[in-house]
Amino acid sequence: MKVRVRIVRAIDDVDATEKYIFGHHKVLESYGITKVTSADRSWALNPHVYLILFESMDDQRILGGGRIQLRTSNFPLPFELAIKEIDPKIETYLEEFDDLEVAEYCGLWNSREVAGYGIGSIYLVRVGIAILPQLNLKKLFGLSSPVTLSISKSVGYEVISVLGDKGSFYYPKEGLIATALEINDIEELSKAQEAERNYIFELRNKINFNTVESGPKGKMELQFELQIPKPENEKQ
């Protein structure tokens, strides 16, 4: 299998955005989740949303993805909207930041197909963290399930313990727990495990390259294209 990992601005590639949304909703439905702020598609009109796509090079299917959503006064972050009904302190926590200074990495999903090749959620997380310096952010936020919390911490996320119950909430529905996270030093990733930090720095340095990964189903060729595209109206 050959897979391209690329970054698109959501409003500039409507077809890819629709495929990403469809795949995300199918994964959520498989877990019985039908109401979740990160599944709200209003973000598709936000000019400051970038999709990370794992895309089959054979038939252009989206096999997994995630999105980096920058915060503005017109577009609050999904985790901000989810938390404020449970803990209004989130609004005070974010009020020090101006537009485009912070973002959330959300909406991560991958198909079982790519996971079988050893390309699971950790790859999406790594790529998302790797491209952040291109956006000049002060912080990155995220919500993590108990299953992915250790992965999130391994790449430098820290629990926002002043929110909720030491950082945790019932979300997206009763019985499911989500933990609010942040990365405070996007450039250095001082809280990340050494192996993960080194891998992410390698992605940042190379930007565009090919590699091969092996998993239970065999080998997968990966073509990384990690340059964040300029808006259409800024291209020469």
Side-chain angles (χ1 to χ4, degrees):
M1 177 177 282
K2 297 181 180 180
V3 173
R4 177 168 66 160
V5 184
R6 66 184 180 112
I7 318 299
V8 303
R9 195 168 74 131
I11 65 170
D12 288 339
D13 195 329
V14 175
D15 183 56
T17 297
E18 288 298 324
K19 289 179 181 179
Y20 163 84
I21 290 172
F22 178 80
H24 187 208
H25 284 187
K26 294 296 288 184
V27 170
L28 289 174
E29 288 171 3
S30 73
Y31 287 96
I33 300 170
T34 57
K35 293 183 179 180
V36 55
T37 55
S38 64
D40 176 1
R41 58 181 297 146
S42 62
W43 57 263
L45 302 176
N46 183 346
H48 304 291
V49 170
Y50 299 91
L51 299 181
I52 296 161
L53 303 176
F54 279 47
E55 182 180 64
S56 168
M57 295 180 69
D58 295 325
D59 55 15
Q60 284 71 57
R61 284 178 301 134
I62 304 297
L63 303 171
R67 72 180 191 268
I68 304 289
Q69 182 165 329
L70 278 67
R71 182 178 187 262
T72 69
S73 56
N74 293 325
F75 290 98
L77 299 177
F79 102 112
E80 177 182 358
L81 296 174
I83 286 176
K84 73 176 184 179
E85 296 180 3
I86 307 167
D87 188 348
K89 292 197 301 292
I90 183 64
E91 294 182 325
T92 304
Y93 195 79
L94 291 172
E95 67 183 6
E96 68 178 277
F97 299 106
D98 292 330
D99 284 4
L100 306 180
E101 288 188 340
V102 297
E104 180 181 353
Y105 191 18
C106 53
L108 280 73
W109 65 272
N110 64 268
S111 68
R112 293 178 180 175
E113 185 175 358
V114 294
Y117 283 90
I119 311 299
S121 57
I122 184 60
Y123 275 83
L124 279 168
V125 174
R126 288 166 175 166
V127 172
I129 306 304
I131 67 172
L132 294 177
Q134 299 181 53
L135 296 171
N136 300 312
L137 299 172
K138 291 185 175 179
K139 277 193 182 189
L140 179 75
F141 295 103
L143 281 177
S144 173
S145 69
V147 173
T148 58
L149 186 57
S150 62
I151 290 175
S152 299
K153 288 182 175 180
S154 75
V155 298
Y157 277 107
E158 299 176 87
V159 175
I160 310 175
S161 58
V162 297
L163 298 176
D165 181 9
K166 297 181 180 178
S168 295
F169 307 81
Y170 283 117
Y171 177 81
K173 64 180 183 179
E174 191 71 24
L176 294 180
I177 295 175
T179 301
L181 305 172
E182 64 185 3
I183 295 179
N184 294 299
D185 58 346
I186 287 169
E187 293 283 348
E188 294 81 15
L189 300 178
S190 63
K191 300 297 182 180
Q193 295 176 5
E194 183 177 2
E196 292 299 336
R197 186 187 306 111
N198 290 341
Y199 192 100
I200 291 167
F201 284 0
E202 184 178 10
L203 292 177
R204 288 180 179 178
N205 291 331
K206 290 183 176 179
I207 298 293
N208 299 313
F209 68 100
N210 296 337
T211 187
V212 177
E213 297 287 348
S214 297
K217 286 188 175 181
K219 293 183 178 180
M220 174 181 285
E221 295 181 36
L222 287 169
Q223 179 176 309
F224 286 97
E225 300 173 9
L226 304 186
Q227 184 67 47
I228 294 178
K230 290 182 178 180
E232 293 292 339
N233 59 2
E234 292 182 13
K235 293 179 179 178
Q236 299 297 323

